[in-house]
Amino acid sequence: MGVSTSAPDEGVVVVTVDFPPVNALPVHGWYDLAAALRAAGADPRVRCVVLTAEGRGFNAGVDIKEIQRTAGHDALLGANRGCYEAFAAVYDCEVPVVAAVHGFCLGGGIGLAGNADAIVASEDATFGLPELDRGALGAATHLARLVPQQLMRALYYTSRTVTAEELHRHGSVWRVVPREHLLDAALDLAREIAAKDGQLIRLAKAAINGIDPVDVRRSYRFEQGFTFEANLSGVADRVRDTFGKDGAVDTSEEEES
């Protein structure tokens, strides 16, 4: 359990997240993930990273229960900072990052996948930001990298999800494959990238980040300020306790960034 790293092929590192039951990460999990991604990118032998997860889904955001059982705002601040570090570690990784997404990709999962260089998804993958049902705000920055602006807003306001196939039609998912073929498909893409010259692929990553029209670190940090405001006002606790409505959803440990 936790964050692990493996090297199945020359030039390729796989970073795997495993926090049962739904990969709702505690504070230390976000920092561990950021450290693993930064270490992989800093290794001159690595030319591509695959980010994947074990269990029921790719990522369900932060661990609500950790926030609820911790007095004061330490857990909330830790989750905010940890998400910021993990999302930035994907974006700033010195080599391309391929996200291999299965099951649910919610909240913090959108932050990770939205900052990845490419996404390979399983047929059962769904993507969304149920932030408004969780007493939180954030990661619209990253959802906007996956879908057009008005669709992002509608998804954000309604807390609805979209399928991998829908994102494939929008061009933000590279391939959609059966779940049992997900890692192989992600590794196929990673191997193709890793076949390039290592120095040149790092220059390419830096160049593409440099022409990005949105500073994802700054815009996400701006969003996070409203999450903290919602908590200070008390509205976050009121919404979070019922997941936005009477009769909560069944993934009770889910929370978003």
Side-chain angles (χ1 to χ4, degrees):
M1 190 177 78
V3 178
S4 59
T5 301
S6 61
D9 293 283
E10 183 179 355
V12 176
V13 162
V14 176
V15 175
T16 304
V17 177
D18 183 15
F19 285 89
V22 294
N23 282 322
L25 273 58
V27 170
H28 76 85
W30 294 106
Y31 282 102
D32 290 348
L33 177 55
L37 289 163
R38 294 190 189 282
D43 187 338
R45 298 168 297 180
V46 177
R47 297 188 292 281
C48 189
V49 173
V50 174
L51 175 60
T52 187
E54 296 287 350
R56 291 165 52 189
F58 178 72
N59 190 281
V62 308
D63 186 349
I64 279 184
K65 293 182 178 179
E66 183 179 43
I67 293 175
Q68 291 177 323
R69 66 174 174 259
T70 304
H73 296 296
D74 287 350
L76 174 66
L77 288 170
N80 277 6
R81 291 170 179 162
C83 284
Y84 179 88
E85 290 298 325
F87 300 171
V90 175
Y91 186 78
D92 293 332
C93 186
E94 296 174 44
V95 299
V97 176
V98 176
V101 178
H102 74 281
F104 44 80
C105 179
L106 303 172
I110 294 293
L112 298 171
N115 269 357
D117 295 273
I119 302 170
V120 177
S122 62
E123 293 168 338
D124 68 343
T126 55
F127 300 74
L129 285 179
E131 310 297 272
L132 297 186
D133 290 343
R134 307 296 192 267
L137 298 166
T141 289
H142 311 94
L143 184 59
R145 296 166 68 84
L146 301 177
V147 297
Q149 181 70 212
Q150 274 68 34
L151 178 54
M152 178 275 287
R153 288 171 180 253
L155 291 172
Y156 197 85
Y157 297 147
T158 62
S159 299
R160 290 194 184 193
T161 60
V162 291
T163 66
E165 189 56 48
E166 288 175 288
L167 291 189
H168 184 257
R169 290 198 296 269
H170 285 293
S172 50
V173 166
W174 176 257
R175 285 185 64 192
V176 180
V177 298
R179 184 159 174 173
E180 62 269 24
H181 300 317
L182 177 61
L183 185 56
D184 287 339
L187 286 172
D188 284 345
L189 178 57
R191 292 185 193 105
E192 188 173 348
I193 294 170
K196 307 299 182 184
D197 180 86
Q199 183 177 358
L200 193 60
I201 202 71
R202 289 166 183 269
L203 289 173
K205 176 69 182 273
I208 291 174
N209 278 7
I211 63 171
D212 202 317
V214 176
D215 182 341
V216 296
R217 294 177 297 271
R218 180 177 177 275
S219 59
Y220 177 56
R221 198 63 173 152
F222 177 81
E223 288 186 78
Q224 286 187 311
F226 289 93
T227 291
F228 198 59
E229 181 177 328
N231 277 271
L232 289 177
S233 70
V235 65
D237 287 336
R238 185 174 73 245
V239 173
R240 191 159 47 222
D241 287 344
T242 61
F243 288 92
K245 59 183 76 70
D246 291 334
V249 297
D250 60 1
T251 50
S252 61
E253 293 190 26
E254 295 172 15
E255 160 65 347
E256 320 334 308
S257 58

